[in-house]
Every structure is written in C-alpha cells, then in structure tokens.
C-alpha cells in the first residue's frame, strides 16, 4: 500500500527519498520543500555579512529573493495540509467586542406554544388542546411564557430575556428547505449570491481571530457561508492539523517555515491559522471544567464548546448552534410532559447553563433563537401545520427594552389562518446585531440585500 500511494504522487526532484520524512506523500513533500527552502535561505544568507545586507541585495534584484512554494508537487502538498485553515483569510488581532450566537430551531417552531396572549378568545377557540398551562410565566403586555422556560426565570426577572412575536418575511414559503435557506441567507439566493447573513455581518466587525465565526456541528450552516472562512467544529479538540500524529509537529514547523517572508496575503492567514490550532490544542489539552453546579446535556453540549472558546480567549464574534425536532404535526404536547415542552425545556436549560458558566463574560454575549417559520393558529390532531408569524427569543447580557418586544396587534385578523407578520424577520435580525455590536443603519443595510432596514428598539 505504501508503494502504491507514493508511486501515485510525483517525487520531488531535489528530494527523491521522501519515505524517511513521513508515511504519506502530502506531508513528506511539504517537509521536503520546507527543508530545501531553509537550506537555500541559509546558503544565501552566508553570502552576505548581515541580514540587512541580504535584504538590500534582494531589493536590488541581486541573489535569490526566496524560493516560491506555489509550484509543482509541493504546492499540492501544502494545500492538502493547510486547507482547513487557509480560508481564515481575515485572521488578525481582535478589535470588536461581544458575541452573537444564532440558535436555529429546524422544523418550524410553533411560537404560540412558546409565548401567547393570555386568555385570548381566538386561541381558546382555534386550539383548545394546545393552550399554555396555568403554570406559565407572566410576560409583559398581557402575554405568558411556557413553563418549559422556567430555567431562564432568573434572566427574565433581570430584564435579559425577551421575545418578539409575529416575526416573518414575505419571501418565506411553507417549505422547510426554502424558508430555512432564506432565513440563513438573509433573503433569496438570487438576492444574496448564496452568501450567509452572518458572514456578511462579520464584514462589519473589523479585524478578528480565526475563531471569529464558528459553527458548532459537522456541517457549516448557510448563514456562515461566504468570504470570511468560518470554522465548523463538533468540539474544540477536533480542530487539528490533518495528517499522521507521529509527524504533526514536524509538519507544523514546515508550514510555518514555508509561509514566512513570502510577501503574500496567505502568509498572515496561515500564521494566524497556526495560532488558532495552537489555541485549540491548548484548550483541549485537559478536560473542560464548567463553573460549579453547571451541567450540560443534549443541545447544551454545543453551548459547552462555545463556553470553552469564549472563556479561553478565542475571541468568538458570531457563532451558530442548530437544534432539530420542531416539526410538530401531531402530538405536539404544549404542556409539561409533552414532546414540544421537552424540547423547549432542553433548550432553556442549555442556555441557562451557558450563561451561568460564562459568569461575568455573559455580559458581552447575546443569544438569538429563531426558526424557519411559525405554524398555523388552529390545531390539527393535537399538532400544527406549517405557517407564518414565528417568535424570536433573545437572551442577552445587555438589558433588553422589555420582555415582549416589537409590534403586536392581536389575532383578530389572521393571515390565511396564520399569525400576521407584525415584525419583519430581517429587521429583527438586524436590530439584534446592531444593538450587540453598535452598527450603523447603513452597515446593517449591507448585510441584507434588497431589504431597507427599519430599526427596532430591542435593548434598553
């Protein structure tokens, strides 16, 4: 097998005996190229008395300027070895403060099972089997909150937990795929060029580290796809250099050597990428210990990874967490013991654990929870069908302007059986980001093409 692998890869003309360097051709070629470059640089330096003399000669066009690594087999090897972090093209020293975490609930959350107007005549008639229970929590403006969110009662009392009802956009259909795509892109694909809205947001956040945009999970969500090289992680320890463990240290050294002094934009990206690897390795070197009394379960395990990064100084600016199980066509179970109640309680428990674990650092974090659409007002077989007018949830270290935010004009005039759109989804997204990062209206406009941003007061 070893011979077959090597024979399928061209040998470097100046270092034919690659097997002594590594067991796989990519790492072997990379290290061979690094050794040759180092030897050439040393020989060139020996021709001059000082480093200043060498630099002057290079500027005058005398001598070898520096061996290019972007030719031949070594370029292929370099790409293979560094592909997982070269894309972090905006890796610089952090500037903006604060973190926005977007939690997306896949399936279409029934917002009226999360918050609802108390003793509403329309709801009493349309969904008598899905009303919130007597153990619900009181919200402002005549609304109540499901008892599944009791783990967050502390933050509700402190003015840091709020809800925006009747959130939608005319571009959203009742198709899971189409609506989720539009929500993550900030519009339709032909309006956004397929770029995620969170990636567009990152453009406004100044310089940052390789961890400035992170998706927790095995697949990068559409909201982070774009120009800024977001990382996708199942856990902090999974960020590591590709290749054989036995040769990893030598490979890292080779990469640093090849990407130093090349006068190319990729140099800074790779150097910072190597720094990101070092940070991840340091954080993963010992088991993470949450704050006393904090226990992460279910979707909480994703929040634990973010807590480890934030508390470890990784300078996360935007991050995503996904949670499924919200397509409740039957046996929805709004009250305690029900299917949806359990899912919401798992989410609330995870967010409570996360903010408790962060301690003082929670002051700089905002969590926004949304879904691709809401559901019909009327129930169907103790469940609900796809609809519009969902709910956005905010848990913020910054005090909010109230526990029920945005516009609410009641359920007297439904939109074809759905909750009407009183608050545009992308205005909500924009207002959350604006309040978190201090953006101008013009900066928010750039994040959402074809959308004229209308500010909303969400923060106190």
């Amino acid at each position: 097998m070893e011979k077959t692998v090597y024979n399928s890869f061209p040998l470097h003309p100046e270092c034919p005996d690659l097997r002594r360097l590594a067991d796989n051709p990519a790492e072997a070629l990379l290290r061979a190229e690094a050794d040759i470059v180092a030897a050439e640089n040393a020989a060139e330096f020996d021709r001059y008395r000082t480093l200043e003399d060498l630099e002057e000669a290079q500027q005058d066009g005398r001598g070898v300027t520096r061996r290019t690594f972007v030719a031949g087999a070594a370029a292929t090897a370099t790409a293979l070895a560094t592909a997982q972090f070269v894309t972090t093209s905006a890796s610089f020293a952090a500037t903006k403060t604060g973190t926005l975490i977007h939690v997306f609930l896949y399936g279409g959350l029934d917002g009226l099972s999360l918050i609802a107007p108390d003793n509403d005549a329309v709801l009493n008639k349309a969904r008598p089997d899905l009303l919130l229970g007597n153990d619900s929590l009181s919200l402002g403006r005549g609304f109540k909150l499901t008892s599944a969110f009791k783990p967050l009662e502390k933050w509700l009392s402190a003015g840091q937990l709020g809800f925006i009802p009747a959130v939608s956009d005319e571009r959203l259909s009742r198709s899971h795929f189409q609506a989720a795509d539009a929500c993550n892109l900030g519009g339709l694909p032909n309006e956004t060029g397929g770029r995620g809205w969170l990636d567009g947001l990152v453009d406004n956040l100044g310089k940052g580290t390789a961890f400035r945009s992170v998706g927790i999970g095995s697949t990068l969500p559409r909201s982070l796809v774009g120009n800024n090289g977001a990382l996708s992680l199942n856990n902090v320890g999974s960020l590591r250099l590709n290749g054989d463990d036995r040769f990893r240290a030598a490979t890292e050294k080779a990469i640093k050597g090849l990407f130093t002094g090349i006068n190319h934009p990729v140099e800074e990206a790779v150097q910072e990428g190597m720094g990101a690897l070092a940070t991840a390795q340091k954080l993963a070197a010992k088991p993470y210990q949450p704050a006393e009394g904090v226990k992460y379960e279910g979707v909480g395990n994703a929040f634990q990874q973010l807590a480890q990064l934030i508390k470890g100084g990784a300078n996360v600016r935007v991050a995503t967490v996904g949670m499924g199980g919200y397509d409740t066509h039957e046996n929805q179970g709004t009250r305690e013991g029900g299917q949806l109640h359990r899912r919401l309680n798992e989410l609330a428990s995870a967010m409570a654990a996360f903010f408790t674990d962060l301690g003082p650092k929670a002051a700089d974090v905002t969590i926004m929870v949304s879904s691709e659409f809401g559901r019909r007002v009327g129930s169907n077989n103790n469940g609900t069908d796809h609809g519009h007018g969902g709910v956005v949830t905010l848990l913020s270290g910054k005090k909010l302007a109230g526990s029920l935010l945005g516009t609410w004009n009641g359920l007297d005039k439904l939109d074809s059986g759905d909750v009407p759109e009183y608050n545009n989804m992308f205005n909500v997204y924009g207002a959350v980001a604006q309040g978190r990062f201090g953006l101008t209206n013009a900066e928010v406009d750039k994040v959402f093409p074809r959308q004229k941003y209308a500010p909303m007061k969400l923060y106190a």
Side-chain angles (χ1 to χ4, degrees):
M1 178 62 71
E2 178 182 316
K3 183 176 181 180
T4 301
V5 171
Y6 271 91
N7 286 345
S8 67
F9 214 88
L11 295 182
H12 197 292
E14 298 181 53
C15 188
D17 187 13
L18 295 174
R19 292 171 181 79
R20 64 181 177 80
L21 297 178
D23 284 348
N24 65 79
E27 286 188 86
L29 282 169
L30 181 83
R31 291 175 56 194
E33 184 74 3
D35 288 348
I36 293 166
V37 168
E40 287 185 348
N41 287 344
E44 189 69 9
F45 184 78
D46 287 344
R47 294 175 56 192
Y48 299 89
R49 291 171 298 176
T50 67
L51 180 60
E52 289 76 13
D53 290 339
L54 173 59
E55 291 176 346
E56 181 181 347
Q58 291 173 340
Q59 291 172 1
D60 293 342
R62 295 179 282 123
V64 179
T65 57
R66 193 155 175 358
R67 183 185 185 87
T68 177
F69 63 90
V70 293
T76 304
T78 301
L80 287 172
T82 62
Q84 61 195 39
F85 60 81
V86 169
T87 53
T88 58
S89 57
S91 302
F92 307 95
T95 54
K96 286 281 187 178
T97 60
T99 304
L100 172 62
I101 299 168
H102 186 197
V103 179
F104 200 84
L105 307 181
Y106 289 94
L109 168 67
D110 178 29
L112 291 170
S113 290
L114 174 61
I115 63 169
D118 192 15
N119 195 28
D120 184 88
V122 174
L123 296 182
N124 291 342
K125 181 178 180 180
R127 53 165 60 198
D129 51 343
L130 294 179
L131 299 174
L132 295 180
N134 294 329
D135 56 352
S136 300
L137 305 175
S138 177
L139 288 180
R141 297 166 61 183
F143 269 69
K144 55 186 178 181
L145 167 67
T146 175
S147 60
F149 262 47
K150 280 187 176 180
L152 290 169
E153 193 168 11
K154 166 185 171 182
W155 289 274
L156 178 64
S157 299
Q160 295 174 268
L161 178 66
F163 304 86
I164 307 158
V167 178
S168 190
D169 185 89
E170 62 182 8
R171 283 162 279 205
L172 306 183
S173 73
R174 288 185 175 86
S175 160
H176 289 299
F177 177 81
Q178 189 275 347
D181 208 32
C183 292
N184 280 294
L185 295 177
L188 300 178
N190 65 329
E191 298 173 347
T192 64
R195 187 184 188 193
W197 79 272
L198 284 175
D199 187 74
L201 172 62
V202 169
D203 287 350
N204 296 300
L205 302 185
K207 299 176 180 180
T209 71
F211 289 102
R212 71 176 182 167
S213 50
V214 179
I216 303 300
S218 56
T219 304
L220 194 69
R222 293 272 275 171
S223 60
L224 288 175
V225 172
N227 305 329
N228 290 295
L231 297 174
S232 181
L233 306 171
N234 277 314
N235 59 73
V236 175
S238 67
L239 182 63
R240 56 191 303 180
L241 193 67
N242 291 328
D244 194 312
D245 288 344
R246 294 172 297 169
F247 304 104
R248 184 163 287 119
T251 299
E252 290 180 6
K253 181 179 179 181
I255 292 171
K256 290 178 181 178
L258 283 171
F259 286 90
T260 300
I262 61 174
N263 192 29
H264 190 281
V266 77
E267 176 181 359
E268 197 161 24
V270 171
Q271 296 298 336
E272 291 295 338
M274 296 302 292
L277 290 173
T279 298
Q281 291 166 6
K282 179 181 178 181
L283 292 175
K286 58 181 180 180
Y288 176 68
Q289 292 295 326
E292 184 177 357
V294 172
K295 185 177 182 181
Y296 289 104
E297 296 179 323
V299 72
N301 292 316
F303 283 100
Q304 178 178 319
Q305 305 307 313
L306 290 174
Q308 187 174 5
L309 288 171
I310 292 170
K311 292 170 69 176
N315 293 307
V316 178
R317 291 291 166 262
V318 298
T320 61
V321 171
M323 185 181 185
Y326 289 89
D327 193 17
T328 52
H329 284 281
E330 57 186 10
N331 300 322
Q332 186 166 301
T334 299
R335 304 193 183 195
E336 187 171 357
Q339 173 191 188
L340 182 56
H341 192 281
R342 289 195 301 271
R343 297 299 282 164
L344 290 172
N345 185 249
E346 178 186 332
L347 173 63
S349 298
M351 293 196 297
F354 179 59
F355 258 48
T356 300
D357 193 11
L358 290 181
K361 290 185 179 296
D364 291 327
V365 176
T366 294
I367 300 175
M368 179 179 76
V369 184
S370 67
S371 192
E372 66 259 42
F373 44 57
R375 305 187 81 83
R376 306 280 284 177
V377 172
S379 64
N380 178 20
N381 194 27
N382 195 33
T384 48
D385 293 327
H386 302 174
H388 290 291
V391 172
V392 170
T393 301
L394 293 181
L395 175 63
S396 180
K398 294 180 65 175
K399 191 169 183 179
L400 300 172
S403 57
L404 191 80
L405 302 159
T407 299
W408 175 255
N409 291 328
L411 296 171
D412 293 335
K413 295 182 179 180
L414 300 183
D415 180 10
S416 300
D418 295 339
V419 177
E421 177 193 322
Y422 293 138
N423 301 288
N424 179 266
M425 173 174 288
F426 303 125
N427 286 338
V428 173
Y429 285 9
V432 172
Q434 183 174 49
R436 177 69 271 169
F437 297 114
L439 306 179
T440 66
N441 290 355
E443 287 174 326
V444 178
D445 270 332
K446 293 178 182 179
V447 178
F448 301 103
R450 309 282 181 90
Q451 172 78 20
K452 182 60 179 176
Y453 173 58
M456 300 176 61
K457 184 174 177 55
L458 300 181
Y459 299 90

